[in-house]
Amino acid sequence: EPEVTQTPSHQVTQMGQEVILRCVPISNHLYFYWYRQILGQKVEFLVSFYNNEISEKSEIFDDQFSVERPDGSNFTLKIRSTKLEDSAMYFCASSYDRGRVNYGYTFGSGTRLTVV
Amino acid sequence: GESVGLHLPTLSVQEGDNSIINCAYSNSASDYFIWYKQESGKGPQFIIDIRSNMDKRQGQRVTVLLNKTVKHLSLQIAATQPGDSAVYFCAESPTIQGAQKLVFGQGTRLTINP
């Protein structure tokens, strides 16, 4: 079964450093997403991406965050200057339209980001 | 504003019994609802979904019920197994197509007792 792959599984970084979280969405999917989950809390939407541009972003997704699809397979989330409160699990997801209905919304296993 | 919440944070049932997990949502314009299962250290795993034009949908051992009048969603798991132990989230989306922003509830931890 196709999977969304995320690397690394765990990243530790110092406050103020830049981090890049990487994702390989399912190959025929068109829509890409990042979510985060602070420990013990619900999953929160960060951003959606389609046709090489952001479709929607949440208020969490401020100027410190950016996304990029640098090639035909990878989808990255960059945090420019990490803060302690950025510590969370970050999930990548992807989906596609089948007919007129969004389909196959699949999440990766996540990257646990720890900011120290 | 949009919000999706859950009535109970934890639920324990005996193996073999049926379980019901509930979810309340506040956005009456939501058109699409999904239940996800999340095991420790893993990402949300799709269980079952339902469109707003339906009130019931069945899968293998799972049934989702939607009551739009009271904005309530439930997940029924029949004949629970130890592998069903996980956190269950409901999520909703205002659209069924294109780039969907999912709004998740807080989650219910289901524990299956042997």
Side-chain angles (χ1 to χ4, degrees), chain A residues 90-106:
Chain A
Y90 287 81
F91 293 107
C92 175
S94 67
S95 67
Y96 72 102
D97 279 340
R98 187 170 73 177
R100 294 178 58 198
V101 178
N102 193 293
Y103 193 74
Y105 211 118
T106 305

Side-chain angles (χ1 to χ4, degrees), chain B residues 5-72:
Chain B
L6 293 162
H7 294 304
L8 296 174
T10 62
L11 178 64
S12 293
V13 299
Q14 290 297 121
E15 182 179 352
D17 287 351
N18 299 333
S19 67
I20 300 175
I21 301 171
N22 296 303
C23 177
Y25 64 95
S26 61
N27 186 359
S28 57
S30 293
D31 193 22
Y32 180 59
F33 303 87
I34 312 174
W35 279 101
Y36 283 96
K37 173 185 180 182
Q38 187 177 30
E39 296 173 292
S40 181
K42 296 185 179 180
Q45 178 186 356
F46 175 91
I47 301 173
I48 192 168
D49 59 1
I50 189 167
R51 291 273 315 277
S52 62
N53 60 356
M54 303 171 68
D55 53 23
K56 181 178 180 179
R57 190 164 187 225
Q58 288 186 291
Q60 186 178 9
R61 283 201 307 118
V62 294
T63 301
V64 55
L65 299 177
L66 176 63
N67 185 331
K68 294 182 288 294
T69 303
V70 295
K71 291 184 284 188
H72 184 267

Side-chain angles (χ1 to χ4, degrees), chain A residues 3-67:
Chain A
E3 290 184 340
V4 174
T5 305
Q6 291 186 243
T7 55
S9 57
H10 190 187
Q11 174 132 16
V12 181
T13 188
Q14 289 204 325
M15 189 170 53
Q17 295 296 305
E18 175 183 287
V19 293
I20 298 177
L21 309 183
R22 303 181 189 278
C23 170
V24 179
I26 294 173
S27 62
N28 65 337
H29 284 194
L30 301 175
Y31 306 97
F32 313 115
Y33 314 86
W34 284 101
Y35 289 78
R36 80 171 186 189
Q37 184 179 31
I38 295 171
L39 185 64
Q41 298 187 23
K42 63 183 180 181
V43 178
E44 299 174 290
F45 171 83
L46 291 178
V47 66
S48 59
F49 190 86
Y50 170 70
N51 201 25
N52 287 318
E53 59 183 29
I54 291 174
S55 301
E56 186 175 358
K57 59 183 180 180
S58 72
E59 58 190 23
I60 302 169
F61 195 89
D62 61 22
D63 291 345
Q64 295 299 311
F65 290 87
S66 63
V67 290

